[in-house]
Amino acid sequence: MSKVLIVEDDKAIATIERDYLLASGIECDIAEDGEKGLCMGLDGEYDLILLDLMLPKMDGFEVCRKLREKIDIPILMVTARREDIDKIRGLGLGADDYIEKPFSPGVLLARVKANIAQYERLTGNRHNTSDIVFGDIRLNTKAHRVYVKNEEITLKNMEYELLYFMMLNADVVFDRETLYEKVWGMEAMGDNATVAVHINRLREKIEEDPANPKYLQTVWGAGYRFRGN
């Protein structure tokens, strides 16, 4: 059974989230402030952390940053704000995805299950092949490692998943909605900041000149491609 940590100071919202996830067979613990959420997140064995941004004692941004220094499980940020800058900031600190309040229980459950499933596929023994190589980039599927010019680089779980998908489909152009559906495992629901931020983070790590990418290229008006030729 999967286990989720809910970090939410609004008791009514936290209870609704917990009850709906429990009804779907997902165990839940609740932390009512940022400091407790950080402590429980680091000490507990969770499959995903559902993290509100506006928290007492320590906000969700700081909690996310500190969690990412120690653990690599999915972090799903929950925000009542609609400004893209908050979403981009959260994703830049290591969150895997986000969900806007108010949301339906069905959307919450779908996002939680999709992120847990992707993480399980990512960390499981799902491939019999070993290396995918294009130019200076080598991705080892068995060891879950990526090398640029024979130097290992550190990728977060969804950065790896995105790079893996695009390298498997080199030279194919994907729009943001399709990438979200293929990599995150569900419909984009009208917001593509998640994909754009992860593309930019990948470029910073694998490209010699991120402003003029050799591999992860933007095809204006169409989307992105990993250039294999």
Side-chain angles (χ1 to χ4, degrees):
M1 179 181 291
S2 298
K3 189 174 183 181
V4 169
L5 173 63
I6 299 170
V7 188
E8 170 64 68
D9 63 315
D10 187 315
K11 292 182 179 179
I13 293 176
T15 299
I16 291 172
E17 292 174 344
R18 181 197 62 193
D19 291 349
Y20 199 82
L21 292 174
L22 281 173
S24 300
I26 298 174
E27 290 185 29
C28 296
D29 289 332
I30 296 174
E32 65 274 8
D33 62 62
E35 289 183 354
K36 186 174 181 182
L38 176 62
C39 183
M40 292 176 66
L42 293 176
D43 291 343
E45 295 183 359
Y46 298 101
D47 298 289
L48 179 142
I49 296 177
L50 196 60
L51 177 63
D52 190 46
L53 284 183
M54 304 302 292
L55 296 166
K57 297 187 179 180
M58 183 184 297
D59 68 30
F61 294 118
E62 185 67 8
V63 174
C64 182
R65 185 184 68 80
K66 290 181 177 293
L67 286 171
R68 271 292 171 254
E69 293 175 354
K70 302 291 185 181
I71 62 175
D72 197 35
I73 64 172
I75 297 175
L76 178 57
M77 300 196 95
V78 181
T79 176
R81 300 176 177 178
R82 295 186 177 274
E83 294 85 354
D84 284 343
I85 188 64
D86 291 319
K87 302 167 188 175
I88 292 170
R89 182 183 174 192
L91 293 166
L93 290 171
D96 296 283
D97 200 1
Y98 63 87
I99 184 171
E100 288 184 0
K101 296 178 181 176
F103 50 80
S104 70
V107 169
L108 172 68
L109 180 62
R111 291 285 184 98
V112 167
K113 285 187 172 182
N115 277 275
I116 290 175
Q118 287 289 70
Y119 184 72
E120 290 175 346
R121 288 195 293 270
L122 181 66
T123 56
N125 296 321
R126 51 182 180 148
H127 307 296
N128 293 320
T129 58
S130 54
D131 286 349
I132 304 174
V133 181
F134 288 102
D136 296 326
I137 300 176
R138 176 166 60 91
L139 185 148
N140 185 285
T141 60
K142 289 185 177 180
H144 184 203
R145 291 179 175 177
V146 176
Y147 302 85
V148 178
K149 295 182 178 179
N150 294 320
E151 292 287 332
E152 184 175 0
I153 62 170
T154 300
L155 299 182
K156 301 303 182 184
N157 57 334
M158 296 312 296
E159 293 171 355
Y160 174 92
E161 190 78 0
L162 178 59
L163 181 62
Y164 168 74
F165 176 80
M166 296 195 74
M167 289 181 73
L168 273 185
N169 297 278
D171 298 313
V172 178
V173 178
F174 295 97
D175 60 30
R176 292 181 182 183
E177 291 84 358
T178 301
L179 282 174
Y180 193 87
E181 292 170 10
K182 296 294 186 181
V183 177
W184 276 261
M186 59 186 303
E187 292 185 4
M189 297 184 181
D191 199 313
N192 304 306
T194 298
V195 172
V197 170
H198 280 75
I199 288 286
N200 288 334
R201 279 162 43 180
L202 274 175
R203 284 173 174 163
E204 292 292 334
K205 294 181 179 183
I206 70 171
E207 299 283 359
E208 186 172 348
D209 181 3
N212 297 285
K214 175 182 177 182
Y215 297 104
L216 278 178
Q217 298 182 334
T218 298
V219 180
W220 297 108
Y224 303 102
R225 69 177 175 190
F226 185 94
R227 184 176 178 181
N229 297 319

